[in-house]
Amino acid sequence: MGLIILATFISIYVYQFNYYKKKGLSYTCLIISLIFLIIQSVLIIDEAEFITDELLKRANEDFVTFIGYYIIYYCFLGFVSIFVGYIPIYKYKQGITKTSLVNYYINILTTKNSCCSRSDYWFFYAICIITAGLSGGIFGMLHIDENSSIRILVNLIIPVLNIIFQAKRLNDIAISKCFLFIYLVAFLGSSFGFVADLVMLAIMCLPSQQIPTTDIKKTIYTKEN
């Protein structure tokens, strides 16, 4: 499994390299990305030490939690590598030059009934994953309690911002914001919450529509007639 993950990371890096070369982009971010990828490769090759008896026991008790732990912590630097390498590609595709990336997202966030494109959302989602991983690692090293106010605040801000951007993504794909209520099934158990997350992420992959609307019935009726 480790070799498959490593091959995937390398393939994405090769794609990024070819894109940089074709578009004449600066190689600065790509070099930084390569450093993260090399470190991640070393960790993946040393997979035997990572898969401990404790982790295997955790996998038997709660497979979903184990997969989440495996992806976030074991492959974290690989995701960081992909993200760093994608920043110039994203800015090039979105045409972000004079306007900073931060202001670009603040504009999406603060504009009423604004839409969030597929690439905009997934770029933001990658930022959320990296921020959550880094903050978790920092809190762990500083031995900050899980019930501390700063940790609760960070764990609250990221999901709230994610839901806001998901609502704006739903505007972009002409689907009712009522779909966000699917998260309520999480009260039935962690497995139901996991399925709800997968459903919403699948919806986030849908292409943009020309006439955004929050009324899904109106959208279906318009398309059929």
Side-chain angles (χ1 to χ4, degrees), residues 11-26:
S11 298
I12 295 174
Y13 184 84
V14 171
Y15 164 77
Q16 291 179 339
F17 176 81
N18 290 331
Y19 192 92
Y20 274 59
K21 185 177 180 181
K22 181 179 179 181
K23 301 298 181 179
L25 302 178
S26 171

mmCIF file of all heavy atoms in Angstrom, residues 11-26:
data_model
loop_
_atom_site.group_PDB
_atom_site.id
_atom_site.type_symbol
_atom_site.label_atom_id
_atom_site.label_comp_id
_atom_site.label_asym_id
_atom_site.label_seq_id
_atom_site.Cartn_x
_atom_site.Cartn_y
_atom_site.Cartn_z
ATOM 1 N N SER A 11 3.669 10.570 -9.322
ATOM 2 C CA SER A 11 2.964 10.830 -10.586
ATOM 3 C C SER A 11 2.397 12.250 -10.615
ATOM 4 O O SER A 11 2.483 12.950 -11.630
ATOM 5 C CB SER A 11 1.829 9.817 -10.773
ATOM 6 O OG SER A 11 2.343 8.507 -10.844
ATOM 7 N N ILE A 12 1.814 12.668 -9.481
ATOM 8 C CA ILE A 12 1.265 14.025 -9.404
ATOM 9 C C ILE A 12 2.380 15.054 -9.510
ATOM 10 O O ILE A 12 2.229 16.095 -10.160
ATOM 11 C CB ILE A 12 0.480 14.213 -8.082
ATOM 12 C CG1 ILE A 12 -0.746 13.292 -8.072
ATOM 13 C CG2 ILE A 12 0.043 15.663 -7.912
ATOM 14 C CD1 ILE A 12 -1.509 13.297 -6.771
ATOM 15 N N TYR A 13 3.523 14.744 -8.887
ATOM 16 C CA TYR A 13 4.652 15.671 -8.947
ATOM 17 C C TYR A 13 5.172 15.811 -10.385
ATOM 18 O O TYR A 13 5.508 16.911 -10.823
ATOM 19 C CB TYR A 13 5.783 15.203 -8.032
ATOM 20 C CG TYR A 13 6.951 16.170 -7.971
ATOM 21 C CD1 TYR A 13 6.920 17.249 -7.100
ATOM 22 C CD2 TYR A 13 8.058 16.020 -8.801
ATOM 23 C CE1 TYR A 13 7.971 18.160 -7.049
ATOM 24 C CE2 TYR A 13 9.104 16.926 -8.766
ATOM 25 C CZ TYR A 13 9.064 17.983 -7.888
ATOM 26 O OH TYR A 13 10.098 18.886 -7.850
ATOM 27 N N VAL A 14 5.227 14.703 -11.111
ATOM 28 C CA VAL A 14 5.664 14.731 -12.508
ATOM 29 C C VAL A 14 4.703 15.579 -13.345
ATOM 30 O O VAL A 14 5.125 16.358 -14.199
ATOM 31 C CB VAL A 14 5.759 13.302 -13.081
ATOM 32 C CG1 VAL A 14 5.984 13.337 -14.587
ATOM 33 C CG2 VAL A 14 6.894 12.540 -12.403
ATOM 34 N N TYR A 15 3.400 15.422 -13.081
ATOM 35 C CA TYR A 15 2.406 16.243 -13.783
ATOM 36 C C TYR A 15 2.636 17.725 -13.504
ATOM 37 O O TYR A 15 2.596 18.566 -14.420
ATOM 38 C CB TYR A 15 0.992 15.848 -13.353
ATOM 39 C CG TYR A 15 -0.054 16.875 -13.726
ATOM 40 C CD1 TYR A 15 -0.527 16.978 -15.035
ATOM 41 C CD2 TYR A 15 -0.544 17.776 -12.774
ATOM 42 C CE1 TYR A 15 -1.476 17.935 -15.382
ATOM 43 C CE2 TYR A 15 -1.483 18.732 -13.113
ATOM 44 C CZ TYR A 15 -1.943 18.804 -14.412
ATOM 45 O OH TYR A 15 -2.871 19.762 -14.753
ATOM 46 N N GLN A 16 2.875 18.051 -12.222
ATOM 47 C CA GLN A 16 3.119 19.441 -11.855
ATOM 48 C C GLN A 16 4.378 19.972 -12.539
ATOM 49 O O GLN A 16 4.391 21.104 -13.030
ATOM 50 C CB GLN A 16 3.252 19.564 -10.332
ATOM 51 C CG GLN A 16 1.949 19.319 -9.585
ATOM 52 C CD GLN A 16 2.119 19.415 -8.084
ATOM 53 O OE1 GLN A 16 3.227 19.275 -7.559
ATOM 54 N NE2 GLN A 16 1.034 19.649 -7.377
ATOM 55 N N PHE A 17 5.420 19.151 -12.578
ATOM 56 C CA PHE A 17 6.675 19.566 -13.214
ATOM 57 C C PHE A 17 6.458 19.881 -14.695
ATOM 58 O O PHE A 17 6.934 20.902 -15.203
ATOM 59 C CB PHE A 17 7.730 18.469 -13.059
ATOM 60 C CG PHE A 17 9.031 18.766 -13.760
ATOM 61 C CD1 PHE A 17 9.979 19.602 -13.179
ATOM 62 C CD2 PHE A 17 9.294 18.228 -15.023
ATOM 63 C CE1 PHE A 17 11.169 19.889 -13.827
ATOM 64 C CE2 PHE A 17 10.485 18.515 -15.679
ATOM 65 C CZ PHE A 17 11.428 19.350 -15.078
ATOM 66 N N ASN A 18 5.732 19.014 -15.383
ATOM 67 C CA ASN A 18 5.455 19.232 -16.810
ATOM 68 C C ASN A 18 4.623 20.492 -17.033
ATOM 69 O O ASN A 18 4.821 21.227 -18.006
ATOM 70 C CB ASN A 18 4.733 18.017 -17.391
ATOM 71 C CG ASN A 18 5.638 16.800 -17.490
ATOM 72 O OD1 ASN A 18 6.857 16.935 -17.650
ATOM 73 N ND2 ASN A 18 5.065 15.617 -17.393
ATOM 74 N N TYR A 19 3.683 20.738 -16.113
ATOM 75 C CA TYR A 19 2.840 21.933 -16.234
ATOM 76 C C TYR A 19 3.676 23.192 -16.026
ATOM 77 O O TYR A 19 3.530 24.177 -16.761
ATOM 78 C CB TYR A 19 1.707 21.887 -15.206
ATOM 79 C CG TYR A 19 0.628 22.914 -15.451
ATOM 80 C CD1 TYR A 19 -0.489 22.609 -16.218
ATOM 81 C CD2 TYR A 19 0.737 24.211 -14.935
ATOM 82 C CE1 TYR A 19 -1.480 23.555 -16.457
ATOM 83 C CE2 TYR A 19 -0.234 25.162 -15.172
ATOM 84 C CZ TYR A 19 -1.340 24.834 -15.922
ATOM 85 O OH TYR A 19 -2.317 25.774 -16.163
ATOM 86 N N TYR A 20 4.554 23.168 -15.021
ATOM 87 C CA TYR A 20 5.460 24.303 -14.772
ATOM 88 C C TYR A 20 6.287 24.597 -16.017
ATOM 89 O O TYR A 20 6.443 25.750 -16.421
ATOM 90 C CB TYR A 20 6.407 23.972 -13.608
ATOM 91 C CG TYR A 20 5.874 24.275 -12.235
ATOM 92 C CD1 TYR A 20 4.703 23.685 -11.773
ATOM 93 C CD2 TYR A 20 6.557 25.127 -11.375
ATOM 94 C CE1 TYR A 20 4.228 23.940 -10.501
ATOM 95 C CE2 TYR A 20 6.093 25.389 -10.103
ATOM 96 C CZ TYR A 20 4.918 24.793 -9.670
ATOM 97 O OH TYR A 20 4.450 25.055 -8.409
ATOM 98 N N LYS A 21 6.836 23.524 -16.593
ATOM 99 C CA LYS A 21 7.718 23.666 -17.750
ATOM 100 C C LYS A 21 6.963 24.208 -18.952
ATOM 101 O O LYS A 21 7.463 25.071 -19.692
ATOM 102 C CB LYS A 21 8.347 22.306 -18.078
ATOM 103 C CG LYS A 21 9.385 22.338 -19.187
ATOM 104 C CD LYS A 21 10.002 20.965 -19.383
ATOM 105 C CE LYS A 21 11.047 20.991 -20.497
ATOM 106 N NZ LYS A 21 11.639 19.642 -20.707
ATOM 107 N N LYS A 22 5.743 23.719 -19.148
ATOM 108 C CA LYS A 22 4.936 24.125 -20.292
ATOM 109 C C LYS A 22 4.496 25.581 -20.188
ATOM 110 O O LYS A 22 4.491 26.316 -21.182
ATOM 111 C CB LYS A 22 3.711 23.211 -20.403
ATOM 112 C CG LYS A 22 2.807 23.518 -21.585
ATOM 113 C CD LYS A 22 1.639 22.557 -21.626
ATOM 114 C CE LYS A 22 0.717 22.869 -22.799
ATOM 115 N NZ LYS A 22 -0.449 21.932 -22.828
ATOM 116 N N LYS A 23 4.136 26.018 -18.957
ATOM 117 C CA LYS A 23 3.616 27.377 -18.767
ATOM 118 C C LYS A 23 4.694 28.379 -18.362
ATOM 119 O O LYS A 23 4.405 29.573 -18.217
ATOM 120 C CB LYS A 23 2.512 27.360 -17.698
ATOM 121 C CG LYS A 23 1.340 26.462 -18.030
ATOM 122 C CD LYS A 23 0.620 26.909 -19.297
ATOM 123 C CE LYS A 23 -0.564 26.009 -19.607
ATOM 124 N NZ LYS A 23 -1.296 26.428 -20.824
ATOM 125 N N GLY A 24 5.915 27.892 -18.180
ATOM 126 C CA GLY A 24 7.010 28.799 -17.823
ATOM 127 C C GLY A 24 6.887 29.378 -16.433
ATOM 128 O O GLY A 24 7.275 30.532 -16.197
ATOM 129 N N LEU A 25 6.346 28.608 -15.472
ATOM 130 C CA LEU A 25 6.176 29.086 -14.101
ATOM 131 C C LEU A 25 7.478 28.965 -13.318
ATOM 132 O O LEU A 25 8.345 28.153 -13.646
ATOM 133 C CB LEU A 25 5.078 28.272 -13.395
ATOM 134 C CG LEU A 25 3.700 28.279 -14.064
ATOM 135 C CD1 LEU A 25 2.738 27.392 -13.291
ATOM 136 C CD2 LEU A 25 3.152 29.695 -14.154
ATOM 137 N N SER A 26 7.592 29.759 -12.276
ATOM 138 C CA SER A 26 8.778 29.723 -11.416
ATOM 139 C C SER A 26 8.852 28.376 -10.695
ATOM 140 O O SER A 26 7.838 27.842 -10.239
ATOM 141 C CB SER A 26 8.712 30.853 -10.392
ATOM 142 O OG SER A 26 9.735 30.708 -9.435
#
